[in-house]
Amino acid sequence: MGTHGSDLRVRLSHAFGTTPLRLTGAAVGISTGGASVRPGTVRTLTMETAYRADGDHRAEVNVDAFVQESSSWYFLEGVDVAAKPAGGKRDAVVAFGDSLTDGAASTPGADHRYPDPLSHRLSAEGRQRPVLNAGIRGNRVLSDSACFGEKATTRFRHDVLDQTPVGTVIVLEGTDDILMGETAANACTSTNRRVTTAELIEGHHALIRAAHARGITVIGATLPPGKGLESGTPAETRAALNQWIRTSGAYETAVDFDRVLADPLNPEQLLPAYAGKDGLHPNDAGYRAMADAVNLDAL
């Protein structure tokens, strides 16, 4: 996402499967609404909202067969666009995080996650750079999960370091550790043990060290407020982690999503104009505000 080029390659993976996966193919076409496709535009491939059907319907242009719909991109490992880096530099930007990066509560299919308007800002200012969205809903810094993927400190290598040609990563991680606590790798439910600020900081340090070893600039993002983080230990942990991100100097610089999105009259809640329906994730305007808060000169 977030770049232009002459060729497109979609990479699929079955890394976490336990039985053989048989793919008969995939197709992409220009939508005329939902899963209905404009005749003559069908090409092999698929992206964005997934419409699934039993049997082989790759050349199908009618909507009737596609009775299953999902916002998850099953088996998708990455999308590569053939484009020449500006000046031969490592100029790609990776937005690394959880559902706040993945764009939960934004308008489906509209590309209103914060990395999308960030990419548009760069293009509008003549700084065309690839922007990669490496957000996974429910992802945590410290705990693997059968539902929410490998922990950030594990997947950082694949999702950031092994991408080409990355120059900057924006890290927005920790909200789900605070909300859900520690979870066994083969489970989806949380335990009673809450993670500590010190543990989260050490996890962030691990990400910073890994990026610096590859010469990648790392920008730390503060955690926004929201439902479940308003009081008690969750609120205290979020505040302490945010203060460390802002002031420790461990990150080259910080982008303060907390202060951008918080309601000045109630700083432990999202500003109503930026709040999605669940009270935890921003709406489209909130994601736009996040993108606008990023200092482009720091990338």
Side-chain angles (χ1 to χ4, degrees):
M1 62 167 291
T3 192
H4 304 280
S6 57
D7 296 287
L8 182 73
R9 178 177 64 187
V10 172
R11 291 177 282 111
L12 303 178
S13 171
H14 193 42
F16 300 102
T18 57
T19 59
L21 170 67
R22 181 173 179 268
L23 297 174
T24 57
V28 64
I30 298 176
S31 174
T32 58
S36 180
V37 178
R38 183 186 303 170
T41 69
V42 177
R43 301 291 185 272
T44 302
L45 203 52
T46 186
M47 280 301 286
E48 197 52 63
T49 301
Y51 301 97
R52 298 177 294 171
D54 294 329
D56 188 349
H57 295 274
R58 284 175 290 165
E60 184 71 59
V61 298
N62 296 315
V63 68
D64 298 343
F66 298 92
V67 296
Q68 304 171 52
E69 180 177 331
S70 174
S71 61
S72 296
W73 302 340
Y74 299 104
F75 312 112
L76 179 65
E77 184 177 64
V79 178
D80 300 327
V81 179
K84 183 179 180 180
K89 297 179 180 179
R90 295 188 305 171
D91 63 345
V93 179
V94 178
F96 183 80
D98 49 36
S99 56
L100 294 166
T101 298
D102 187 46
S106 64
T107 300
D111 292 334
H112 286 165
R113 316 163 191 89
Y114 98 79
D116 299 308
L118 176 59
S119 176
H120 299 158
R121 281 188 65 206
L122 286 163
S123 296
E125 295 196 13
R127 309 187 192 193
Q128 180 62 46
R129 299 177 64 175
V131 179
L132 289 64
N133 189 327
I136 297 179
R137 300 189 187 195
N139 193 236
R140 279 165 284 180
V141 178
L142 304 172
S143 294
D144 294 323
S145 168
C147 295
F148 308 122
E150 293 179 318
K151 59 188 177 183
T153 52
T154 297
R155 73 179 184 94
F156 194 75
R157 174 174 295 278
H158 176 274
D159 292 347
V160 178
L161 304 183
D162 291 346
Q163 303 301 315
T164 303
V166 175
T168 307
V169 57
I170 303 172
V171 175
L172 175 56
E173 282 270 12
T175 294
D176 290 304
D177 295 80
I178 296 171
L179 286 174
M180 291 189 277
E182 189 179 51
T183 302
N186 62 350
C188 298
T189 56
S190 60
T191 67
N192 292 325
R193 197 191 84 80
R194 295 191 179 276
V195 300
T196 67
T197 304
E199 289 171 326
L200 285 172
I201 289 174
E202 179 50 39
H204 278 255
H205 269 304
L207 302 178
I208 294 168
R209 289 192 296 267
H212 285 173
R214 294 286 188 91
I216 297 173
T217 297
V218 197
I219 298 175
T222 57
L223 310 186
K227 186 176 181 180
L229 301 168
E230 306 100 321
S231 61
T233 301
E236 294 167 358
T237 304
R238 185 183 74 89
L241 179 62
N242 282 348
Q243 186 65 6
W244 175 82
I245 291 171
R246 293 186 187 107
T247 65
S248 68
Y251 284 104
E252 278 88 329
T253 188
V255 54
D256 207 337
F257 291 152
D258 176 28
R259 290 176 178 165
V260 168
L261 297 177
D263 185 347
L265 300 179
N266 191 344
E268 293 186 351
Q269 293 184 2
L270 292 169
L271 186 71
Y274 291 158
K277 292 181 179 180
D278 64 3
L280 177 63
H281 299 94
N283 56 19
D284 291 352
Y287 285 120
R288 164 66 69 176
M290 291 170 67
D292 289 343
V294 177
N295 178 4
L296 300 187
D297 292 332
L299 300 179

